[in-house]
Amino acid sequence: MMLGALAALLVGGSAVAAGPNDPSVQIKAPEVSYKLHADEFKDFAHTYVLADSKAIRFSQSGRRYWARLAGENKVELYPMAANVFVTAAGARIEFSDQGEQVAIDNYERLPMSVALGATNVRMVASR
């Protein structure tokens, strides 16, 4: 009888910790739906000057892909389709013309971008 009451208390306690009043927030990285071939990112691994005159560098480390604005921390990119990547915060990066052009949708969602006070900002660049 005591063991059953203890089990109910433990289950009830864990339910309270994860209940509707729990202040914690879970942020999950986007599920990768596209696998790049080993050398597929090489066309994109360059520095681009954006429309706001900031430089952004794209790089690869093993099977991980990164973007970094000059002087800022890098952010991981997740491949979603050929030439298309997203960040965990929802910025979308699309390369075209064999990597000659890049467009970044929701630029304001890049953690290293300056607070723009706007939403759905699109930045474009050529190398």
Side-chain angles (χ1 to χ4, degrees):
M1 183 72 169
M2 288 292 285
L3 186 58
L6 181 58
L9 179 60
L10 290 174
V11 169
S14 64
V16 170
N21 296 327
D22 183 7
S24 65
V25 176
Q26 290 185 3
I27 299 175
K28 295 181 181 179
E31 290 187 30
V32 177
S33 62
Y34 181 78
K35 297 279 187 193
L36 270 68
H37 296 288
D39 64 342
E40 192 172 350
F41 195 79
K42 70 179 170 129
D43 288 337
F44 315 137
H46 298 282
T47 299
Y48 299 78
V49 179
L50 298 168
D52 66 356
S53 300
K54 292 186 180 178
I56 188 166
R57 171 108 177 119
F58 295 96
S59 60
Q60 178 178 357
S61 176
R63 290 274 196 190
R64 296 177 77 181
Y65 312 96
W66 305 95
R68 174 183 279 175
L69 280 174
E72 300 291 340
N73 292 326
K74 63 185 176 181
V75 64
E76 189 164 5
L77 305 176
Y78 302 95
M80 299 305 292
N83 307 334
V84 179
F85 298 81
V86 296
T87 67
R92 182 179 186 273
I93 295 94
E94 184 170 356
F95 295 93
S96 59
D97 298 327
Q98 289 80 38
E100 291 294 323
Q101 307 276 331
V102 65
I104 304 171
D105 291 316
N106 297 317
Y107 177 72
E108 74 280 0
R109 293 185 183 183
L110 287 176
M112 67 275 199
S113 66
V114 176
L116 300 171
T119 58
N120 300 319
V121 174
R122 181 179 179 95
M123 281 288 171
V124 294
S126 298
R127 44 176 178 136

